[in-house]
Amino acid sequence: THIPTQSLFLTYLLVLEGCIKVIERKHHSNDVSDIKSYQVIILKRIVKSLSTIEFVLNKEVDSMSAYGILRMIIDSICIYCFIYEKEDKDEVEFRHYLYLLDGCSQYNKLISSLEMKNEIEKKSEDNLQKNNCDLKSLQCGIENALSSHNYSKKYGKEAGKIIKSANWKYKLIGGKGENKYNWEDLYKEIGYDCDLSKLLSNYLSQYVHGLFMSNTMNPQAKSHFHIIYSLL
């Protein structure tokens, strides 16, 4: 049975899917320096996740898993707004490359620390090494883009410190102390009020990490569906 918020959600989802198809015709590069195309990649992933959450709720009737997907969707929207919805193009570009560096460097560190020779087939190992080599080259290119960025020229050591820690959540270029937003602060930064920010960062974490709320005795209760569709 459809609830009003679900019907509204499905309408918006249909519109979003149509919009994505239109903008993808213009921006469809895989080059990470093409920021507009990278934005489209993020938006496509968000819309796909919105479609997935509808399936999880109504085909699997699994509101507990849907809460986890909901947190992922909200975080992705938050990141998108925080990085790309800025008037200053230099700031957009700087945070964009920092965001890429954060993920890419973490992956490369992980792969470098794994001893895999005796655990995977030779063919798979060769493919993994090739992929890892490509990502190391990508990381090098990202670091070069950041080192030649206007902020690096303008702010010198301050920008260098941020680049070294891949801190795309930085508050100010020359900020002192803990110069980094946490997730609750990020929600506030893009426009959520204080109460909703706390709800998103604390309540939804229960489901992501399998804490008390995710082990409720009534996972199919209608109240869960109302909450999820309302937040969407």
Side-chain angles (χ1 to χ4, degrees), residues 49-50 52-53 56 64-74:
S49 296
L50 288 169
T52 298
I53 205 171
V56 168
M64 300 300 103
S65 295
Y67 275 119
I69 299 172
L70 176 62
R71 173 63 188 263
M72 181 182 73
I73 291 169
I74 291 173

Side-chain angles (χ1 to χ4, degrees), residues 64 68 203-216:
M64 300 300 103
Y203 177 69
L204 293 184
S205 291
Q206 292 269 335
Y207 300 96
V208 173
H209 301 297
L211 301 179
F212 173 74
M213 293 299 292
S214 65
N215 298 311
T216 177

Side-chain angles (χ1 to χ4, degrees), residues 31-46:
D31 189 339
V32 295
S33 64
D34 185 341
I35 295 180
K36 290 294 183 183
S37 289
Y38 197 81
Q39 287 178 250
V40 173
I41 291 172
I42 296 174
L43 292 174
K44 281 182 64 179
R45 174 170 55 80
I46 292 172

Side-chain angles (χ1 to χ4, degrees), residues 8-55:
L8 186 60
F9 166 75
L10 290 172
T11 301
Y12 283 138
L13 179 57
L14 185 63
V15 172
L16 285 171
E17 288 172 339
C19 289
I20 286 294
K21 289 179 181 178
V22 172
I23 61 176
E24 190 180 14
R25 292 172 193 161
K26 186 176 182 181
H27 303 288
H28 50 265
S29 171
N30 286 320
D31 189 339
V32 295
S33 64
D34 185 341
I35 295 180
K36 290 294 183 183
S37 289
Y38 197 81
Q39 287 178 250
V40 173
I41 291 172
I42 296 174
L43 292 174
K44 281 182 64 179
R45 174 170 55 80
I46 292 172
V47 172
K48 180 65 175 178
S49 296
L50 288 169
S51 178
T52 298
I53 205 171
E54 172 66 15
F55 176 84

Side-chain angles (χ1 to χ4, degrees), residues 161-173:
K161 183 178 179 181
I162 289 173
I163 294 170
K164 185 176 181 180
S165 59
N167 180 16
W168 58 271
K169 298 180 188 174
Y170 71 87
K171 296 178 181 178
L172 297 169
I173 289 288

Side-chain angles (χ1 to χ4, degrees), residues 102-119:
D102 184 29
C104 193
S105 61
Q106 284 192 47
Y107 177 84
N108 284 331
K109 286 177 184 176
L110 173 65
I111 294 300
S112 295
S113 67
L114 296 177
E115 296 293 332
M116 309 185 73
K117 288 187 177 181
N118 297 322
E119 299 177 16

